[in-house]
Amino acid sequence: AQSVTQPDIHITVSEGASLELRCNYSYGATPYLFWYVQSPGQGLQLLLKYFSGDTLVQGIKGFEAEFKRSQSSFNLRKPSVHWSDAAEYFCAVGAIQAGTALIFGKGTTLSVSS
Amino acid sequence: GAGVSQTPSNKVTEKGKYVELRCDPISGHTALYWYRQSLGQGPEFLIYFQGTGAADDSGLPNDRFFAVRPEGSVSTLKIQRTERGDSAVYLCASRSGTGYTEAFFGQGTRLTVV
């Protein structure tokens, strides 16, 4: 079955500390991977995406993610978290073909403490 | 327009009533998706349009839900005989339909059935 697992429901990180949000996927075809962020009352904003090539991808707001095919993972990282990063983060997987919908994980809520 | 527009942003309706939710995608995007996001969950796929036709409606929960896109642009999600369990945020996304592109999401419509 196709699925995305985000094992951490809620994470609290101190401002300035590093962050890693985990994402594991199960997908039958070549995966096409995304991280989205959602602030309260807002829509989903794309942070970064992986299609092919270099397995370390850079995104907006200083985020990066690494695709590890052997582990079926696509973890999101940031070296130094800012208070404004507090939000909900969703990992999603899809196929390259335009007609396929994305499958989302249940999300990880990030809180940032001062 | 510059982004995906959804109206209304909030809708409160009584149980048993009929509602319509509108999505205006990014100009030129041929692929359009509807998702439903319940509290504390990730977005769940409902239906996908390529042009005017529903290419995949496997996510629609039952026959009370229906969506149209008559001219290949604006789409309307229709819910008949609403139930309290239909309360959620309904998200629309559009994509250019070819190649390595991401989906862009609207702000969503928060539907509350009382």
Side-chain angles (χ1 to χ4, degrees):
Chain A
Q2 300 173 348
S3 64
V4 175
T5 301
Q6 293 182 246
D8 304 304
I9 297 172
H10 190 189
I11 284 182
T12 299
V13 174
S14 298
E15 190 169 15
S18 64
L19 168 71
E20 182 169 30
L21 301 182
R22 296 182 290 164
C23 172
N24 291 95
Y25 67 90
S26 172
Y27 201 72
T30 301
Y32 171 51
L33 293 150
F34 304 82
W35 275 98
Y36 283 88
V37 61
Q38 186 177 41
S39 298
Q42 301 296 310
L44 293 162
Q45 180 184 20
L46 181 70
L47 283 177
L48 47 77
K49 61 196 176 200
Y50 172 77
F51 300 137
S52 64
D54 191 346
T55 56
L56 184 65
V57 293
Q58 303 296 320
I60 63 170
K61 304 185 180 185
F63 285 92
E64 66 178 27
E66 185 171 13
F67 171 58
K68 293 186 178 180
R69 185 184 300 276
S70 62
Q71 298 177 18
S72 296
S73 70
F74 189 57
N75 294 349
L76 182 71
R77 300 194 293 250
K78 186 170 185 179
S80 177
V81 167
H82 188 262
W83 65 265
S84 61
D85 293 325
E88 187 144 24
Y89 292 79
F90 293 96
C91 180
V93 66
I96 295 294
Q97 294 86 346
T100 54
L102 296 180
I103 300 168
F104 285 83
K106 292 181 185 256
T108 297
T109 301
L110 172 67
S111 297
V112 180
S113 61
S114 56
Chain B
V4 178
S5 175
Q6 291 187 248
T7 55
S9 55
N10 279 283
K11 176 71 176 178
V12 180
T13 190
E14 292 181 348
K15 179 175 176 295
K17 298 289 188 184
Y18 168 84
V19 296
E20 291 189 351
L21 312 180
R22 176 188 166 106
C23 173
D24 199 341
I26 292 172
S27 179
H29 279 191
T30 57
L32 185 146
Y33 308 84
W34 284 99
Y35 288 82
R36 178 168 70 175
Q37 187 177 18
S38 301
L39 194 63
Q41 301 294 316
E44 294 178 295
F45 168 72
L46 294 177
I47 186 169
Y48 154 67
F49 287 90
Q50 180 61 41
T52 60
D56 182 355
D57 64 358
S58 62
L60 295 177
N62 52 59
D63 61 6
R64 296 186 297 106
F65 288 75
F66 189 70
V68 296
R69 195 185 185 200
E71 297 178 357
S73 178
V74 171
S75 177
T76 305
L77 178 66
K78 308 180 181 198
I79 311 174
Q80 299 177 318
R81 305 183 304 280
T82 52
E83 299 176 358
R84 292 199 178 87
D86 298 334
S87 297
V89 175
Y90 289 81
L91 296 167
C92 177
S94 70
R95 186 176 172 191
S96 74
T98 58
Y100 298 91
T101 62
E102 70 264 24
F104 294 85
F105 283 82
Q107 302 276 51
T109 293
R110 181 175 298 279
L111 175 65
T112 304
V113 182
V114 297

